Amino acid sequence: MTLKEMAVTYRLEADRLRHRIQLVRELPARTEVERTAKIERLRLLEAMRRDVRDMAVICERYYDPDFHKNERYSI
């Protein structure tokens, strides 16, 4: 699998996560416990989506000489 193909896979996963985030936002929170759980779930899903999108960009532009790599993922 090439980096470009991996980027496509990451983009698809980001779309799936976006859809999941939308579904969780629509869920009613009847109690404080449900509200807290919903907030935590959204926080985790949004972090996952951000990371997946970042990885897609890194894979897409890895060999681009003008691309400044994301220092968040540098060793």
Side-chain angles (χ1 to χ4, degrees):
M1 178 178 278
T2 67
L3 289 175
K4 294 280 186 186
E5 292 168 337
M6 287 175 67
V8 170
T9 303
Y10 280 124
R11 293 275 180 204
L12 290 172
E13 188 59 34
D15 286 342
R16 287 187 200 112
L17 286 166
R18 181 191 51 77
H19 181 69
R20 300 263 318 253
I21 290 168
Q22 183 180 3
L23 291 175
V24 171
R25 282 191 178 133
E26 293 172 0
L27 290 174
R30 295 177 184 90
T31 66
E32 187 63 29
V33 172
E34 288 178 355
R35 185 178 147 319
T36 304
K38 180 179 174 178
I39 289 169
E40 180 65 14
R41 178 74 173 167
L42 284 169
R43 188 184 67 77
L44 292 172
L45 286 169
E46 288 167 355
M48 289 168 59
R49 182 171 178 240
R50 181 183 59 244
D51 290 344
V52 168
R53 280 190 324 222
D54 288 349
M55 291 308 298
V57 171
I58 290 169
C59 289
E60 287 167 347
R61 304 200 54 209
Y62 187 80
Y63 294 110
D64 183 354
D66 298 326
F67 178 59
H68 301 286
K69 292 183 177 67
N70 189 330
E71 292 185 17
R72 183 174 179 193
Y73 301 102
S74 295
I75 297 175

